[in-house]
Every structure is written in structure tokens, then in C-alpha cells.
Amino acid sequence: MSYNHQTTDAKWQAAWEKAQIFRAEDDSPKDKYYVLVEFPYPSGAGLHVGHPRSYTALDIVARQQRMLGKNVLFPMGWDAFGLPAENYAIKTGIHPSVVTKTNIDTFRRQLKAIGFSFDWSREINTTDPAFYKWTQWMFIRFFKAGLAYKSTMAINWCPKDKIGLANEEVIGGKCERCGTAVEKRDKEQWMIAITKYADRLIDDLDTVDYLPKIKKQQIDWIGRSEGAEIDFAIDGTDDKLTVFTTRPDTIFGVTYLVIAPEHPLISKLTLPEHRLAVDEYIAQTSKKTDMERGDETKPKTGAFTGSFVTNPANGDQVPVWIADYVLGHYGTGAVMAVPQHDERDLAFAQTFNLPIIDRPLLSFDDALAKTAGKKTIQYKLRDWVFSRQRYWGEPIPLINCAHCGWVPVPDEQLPVLLPDVANYQPTDNGESPLASIDSFVNTKCPTCGGAAKRETDTMPNWAGSSWYFLRYIDPNNDQAFADPEKLKHWMPIDLYNGGMEHTTLHLLYSRFWNKFLFDQGLVPTSEPYARRHSHGLIMADDGTKMSKSVGNVVNPDDIVQEFGADTFRVYQAFMGPFEEPVPWSTNGVIGVRRFLDRVTKLPSMISADESADVTKALHKTIKKVSEDITNFRFNTAVAAMMTFINTVYEQGSITKQSLTTFLALLTPFAPHVGNEVSEALGNTGFVEAGNWPAFDPTLIVDSEVTIAIQVNGKLRSSLTVAPDLDEASLISLATADPNVAKFLTSPIKKTIVVANKIVNFVI
Ligand code: ANZ
Ligand code: ZN
């Protein structure tokens, strides 16, 4: 290895820090460019090689944009509330904030060692009271606007640990810690009415530049479907069952109705002789997740209620069944089953020997008319469950008063600080650990001054990340979450990259949150992100998922130690198409290091002039690297730079000016090597302070082209000529070619010329 990466890395990292060259300016005359990566959860495991995939790519973009003359905001922070720190606290008694601080220090050190150009002066931390004060303040805006409300929801309950579990702690229906089967328990929860924004969250996707698969995933998740609600009278009663259907045209094919095991009319519908079977069936399904219930590969299960309803279109009497493939919280929780047209209904009918009839379809409206149904729109999206019975989250800033009901904590009393507790374990009745601290719970009503109690639920770990990008704009403001003028300057975010796994939760929540703030007149744009991109996962070298238990995790520290930060960065960029999953390869890492070694040796090849091939290759490389960064093709950009270096080595010399230009291209990818070599050439100042190179279009034109000469479409010869040679000269050269002439046995009827490619004589 020719260069000492340890000293080089440390030297340039210290120099950047000293000169503060990556600071974003709030009052710069330059155009702004706000580039964002998803901030990490600072876990105890430290940085994973997956994190820098996104960071390296956007660091390249940020660095290029600065060289293109933009005032760039590229910030970093910590999404630090969450279960691992809390579970660690339960085990060890160490306060989550202590563990979190240690983990953040590790992450920061690791990120700095890779040389990312973050503006560290804007670092934020969602668990910092100065940050979560504003998360609470925003929650109160939701509450005052009527969008935060209480509702009874089923939560996951571990009967052994006696705690409520987050969905991600339930693995295959069992408690992640003790393996006990998880039960559902009803609990009052704070909800936020994201469904009120469902249409805008779909429709406004037209105004942003997201990868098509990201848009599609959001649209599917929101799941808008247009259909109708139709009433079926329950025989022998005055009650009716209302179904939601997207296919009212199939009404004549209905042979039974199915309701969800949660349907409120079940006890009324179930006749005494069927009660035992129905109760048993309900108990059995309460253990299944929605995912298991929807699994189309599993045999259908169900129970008959004994009741019948009347089809409003033709007066047919049809039986009412209960089955778990109908979900309680979608549509009306009741389905008119049409085995002839619906796969699930068909499977169910076959299992339980229900009739399958062949009836003609109506038109959508015709049906509707025949059934007195009404058009409705249903969404898969549910309102957002915003309560957690947990310690390590933002306290929900509300107070319950016997006289005044729920009253928000006055703004000037924010933040509601997380109190110290001795025991982080949720209480026996499923309340948050905060519920057992009397000094926290008991307070005065801000409205009437009477005795009142604080809400003890905390927010989900999606809260802080729903608006963190706004705080980077003005991280130290204690009068507002951010200054409106600064928000106007920086929003929207020009480019946001993150994992596909965040498309449906974080991305949707944060778009919703921003839209709400926009409606409140608090932020300047309705959409927070102008462009959204996504990266593929990094897999282990055998293509499997990296995991601690298998022992195939690559630690970024080791790679940086052994090969240097730039090898790590360039390898991250080079390892494969950005959007696709790619396996880690140590050989690939070594190959990249070899490339950088070759770059560091280039100063010995400097000469007063260089061959035309080197000049031409340089300008082609400028064009290619520029376009590839724009199009997120970092791997082919690296390949182009490698090809260029090969050309220089073949030709044996390069001018100082050309090498300096090349280093400007390389530096966003390999900033330590770029600056080190530039300094060795005698250049002063950081490469980052220079301009992004432009290519000369006249220099990248190939000086020769090869043209296929055909007679009646058959290849007869080829000619090597200057590009864009005029047609007349080309035709006379072609007809003079003996290999062509001997086939021109009759007069030419037509000559077809495809510029710089083909001449075809038709005879
Ligand atoms: C009769 C019918 C005939 C249906 C047919 C479909 C095809 P999407 O598009 O997802 O909205 N459905 C209604 N509520 C349901 C629930 N709570 N759980 C499970 N399935 C439910 O699907 C709407 C269709 O899914 C509805 O239209 C209903 O079945 C069923 F040839 O009604 B359909
Ligand atoms: Zn009161």
C-alpha cells in the first residue's frame, strides 16, 4: 500500500473541522440545496455497514452540489427514543439517557472517521428536552385542531410479563422476550386522525419526484377503494347488516354473507344452538394477527350463526357466516360473498359446501339502483395509534381534569420532562411506568386550578422523526421550532434518501405531519420532500442478511482501520446499483484500495503535456461522473474514474491541470485522497473550495466512427471515417469499396444513411 490512510484520514478530518467548511449558511446569496439522510437510531451495536450506503451516496451529492456553487444543508442527528435503550434499562437499571449518550458518542465518532461532510453544528437529538418540547408543542396543535382523540384499541398484551408490547415485539404471535402467546387487550389510546389526510397523501404525490415504486407503495398502503355500502335485512328482526363491496355489479351472485369475528352484531345474530361453536371460533381467531388471517394459502375457517338475511336485489335468503378472512376494521366488517367472482369466497364456499351460482353481472350503477346502496370510499389506512405505555418516549402533554376534561399543558410549561424512575418496567395493569410516580401524575388543572392527573402514556418512536428535518433548519431556537424565514429559505428538502422499509410508516407520517403544520400556517410547503430516493440493503458476502447471531456482520470501523475511509466510501459507491441489494465483498474492497493507491502515485507522472487520448478520456469522465451522480449511478461513476486512471497509466503522463480536474471529480467520493494528492501537486486550499469541472463537448467527440456498408440490408463491408462526414463523400467512398462494388450489380434504387452508423444501398 502506497499511502498511509491513517495519517491522511486524520489530517484532513482535522483540517475540515478547523476550517468549518461544511457549515450551511442561513443568509447566503447562493441557491440553497437541502439534502437529507434518515437519521439513525443510535443502537448499542454501533454503526452498521448499511447506514453508510445512504450517507456515502448523499455525501457525494452534497459535496458535488457545494462545488456547483450551492449553499448546501447536509445535517445529521439521532432518532434516539426507542425500545432497545428502554429494555437495556429494565435489565441493568442504567437510565436510557446514559446509554443513549454513550451510543451517540460512538456513532458520531464512527461517522466522523468516514469523513462525511455533515454540518455538525446542527446536530439534533429527539430525546433532548429542547427538541421534544416542540414535539409536544406540535402534539398540542393536533389536539387543539381536533385531530388527536382518545379511542379504545386492542393492544398486544403479554400475560406473563404483564406488559403491553409494541407490534415489533410480537414475533409470530409470541412475546419476543418470554415466548408466551400474546393476547389482545382493549386499552384507551391517543389516536391521530391521519385518515383525514388520506386523499391528499395520495393526490399530492403528483407534485413530487419520488421513485415510482415508492409512490406505488404509499398509494397501496393508503389503499383507497371506491365501492358501495349495501344493506341486507336480517330475517325476523328490524336490524340490518351493511356490507362494503367494490363489486355491486355481482349482487345476483351472492350466496351467503360473512362477518368478521369482531362484528358488533354477532351476539344478536347467533342462534342458541350455534353459540358454542361461534364462541369457540372467536376465541380461536383472537390469537391470530391480521397477516395470518389474510394468508390465502391457509385453509378457510369459519362458523355459521344460524341467521339469514335478504338480498335486496332479488329477495334471496342467504345464510350469515363468521370467518376471519373478513377483517373487523375494514369497510363495515361484513362482506357479501360471491363465490363465482371472488377467489376467497370461492375457497370458503368449497370448504363449507355453500352454493356457487352463475348469474349475469349488472353495471355498477344498475346495481346500486337495485339495492338502494350508496357509494362510499374506503381506505386501508387506519388512524395513527399515538400512545405507548412505555417510559422512553415523549410524555403526552395533556392533563385530565374531572371538570374540564382533557386540557393541554400550557405552552409556557413545555416541555413536560420525563421524570426519573427507579423501575422502567410497565405496571401490572399495563400502564406506563410513569403512572406509578405520584409526583408526576398529580398536578393542577391549567384551566380551573383543581386537582387533576397527567396523561402517563408516551409517544411512539415515530414522533420525533415526523418533523426532525424542520429542526435542522434552526436547531437552537428556543422561541419556535424554527424561524419562519429560515423555513421559507430551506424548505422543501431537495433530496431525501432512506430505506424502502420506511416508505409506509416514517415517510407517510412525516408527510402527513408536515401537511398538518402547513394547514396551520406553520411551514411554507405542503410537501416536505421534493425528491425521494431509496437504497438497497447490504447483504453478507453469501447473499444472506447480515446478523449478529450468524456472526457475518461487517463493522465499518474495521474496514476504515485496515483500508482507510476512502476505500470504504468508494467501495460503498462502487459495490452495485444503488437501489438494489448487494452482497459485501472483501475482494471488492481490496480492488478499490488498489485503485486509490494508483491515484496517489499519479503526481510522479506529471509532465508538461499529455496525449490527446488522456485529454479526451478526462472530458468523457467529467461528463459521465456528472450525469451518474445526478442519476444515482454511483457505481458506474466509480468505474469511469477507474477507466480514466487506466488510460493515464497506459499513456504514462498527465498534466498537472488535468490531474487537478480529475481530483475535483474524485474528491466527493474519496475526499481524503483527493485533498492529499492535490496538496502533493502544490495546489493550495481544499479541493472542496474549487468548482465542479465542466467538460468541453468538442473534446469528447470520437475522432473516428465505423460505418457498416450494406447492400439490400446485408453487411458487405465497413468504413472508418471522421464523424459526421457529409453524405455525398460517404456514398462515394462506399461505392468505391471493392467489397461493396461487386454486389452493386444493378442500378441503385435507394440509399439509406443512418448518421455515423450505416449506409444501405437498395438495388
Ligand atoms: C363482493 C365482491 C365480489 C367483492 C367480487 C370483490 C369481488 P378492496 O379492493 O381491498 O377494497 N371486503 C369488504 N370488506 C372486507 C373486510 N372487512 N375484510 C375482507 N374483505 C372485505 O376490497 C373490497 C372487497 O373486499 C369487497 O368487495 C368485499 O368483497 C371484500 F367479485 O364484495 B367484494
Ligand atoms: Zn379543570
Side-chain angles (χ1 to χ4, degrees), residues 130-158:
F131 181 97
Y132 72 67
K133 168 183 175 170
W134 299 108
T135 313
Q136 292 175 336
W137 184 88
M138 290 172 183
F139 178 83
I140 291 172
R141 307 281 93 75
F142 280 111
F143 178 78
K144 289 187 170 170
L147 292 180
Y149 65 95
K150 265 217 150 169
S151 163
T152 301
M153 295 288 298
I155 63 163
N156 307 303
W157 177 258
C158 172

Side-chain angles (χ1 to χ4, degrees), residues 223-228 243-251 254 258-260 293 323-345 361 378-380:
R224 175 162 65 189
S225 72
E226 292 173 26
V243 303
F244 170 70
T245 177
T246 47
R247 296 290 307 276
D249 56 322
T250 64
I251 186 98
V254 174
V258 208
I259 60 177
R293 287 170 56 163
D324 64 5
Y325 76 92
V326 177
L327 302 174
H329 51 67
Y330 183 66
T332 58
V335 171
M336 60 179 222
V338 189
Q340 185 200 348
H341 291 290
D342 186 284
E343 294 278 329
R344 294 170 304 174
D345 298 344
L361 295 176
Q378 287 293 330
Y379 302 88
K380 295 260 151 53

Side-chain angles (χ1 to χ4, degrees), residues 447-468:
T447 308
C448 71
K453 287 189 188 303
R454 284 188 196 279
E455 172 60 66
T456 58
D457 285 355
T458 55
M459 300 188 195
N461 60 338
W462 306 103
S465 60
S466 291
W467 74 277
Y468 75 115

Side-chain angles (χ1 to χ4, degrees), residues 520-532:
Q520 296 277 308
L522 296 168
V523 298
T525 63
S526 163
E527 284 288 336
Y529 319 119
R531 184 179 175 204
R532 168 78 178 188

Side-chain angles (χ1 to χ4, degrees), residues 399-405 407 444-452:
I399 293 169
N400 194 235
C401 166
H403 292 285
C404 313
V407 180
K444 285 205 171 89
C445 170
T447 308
C448 71

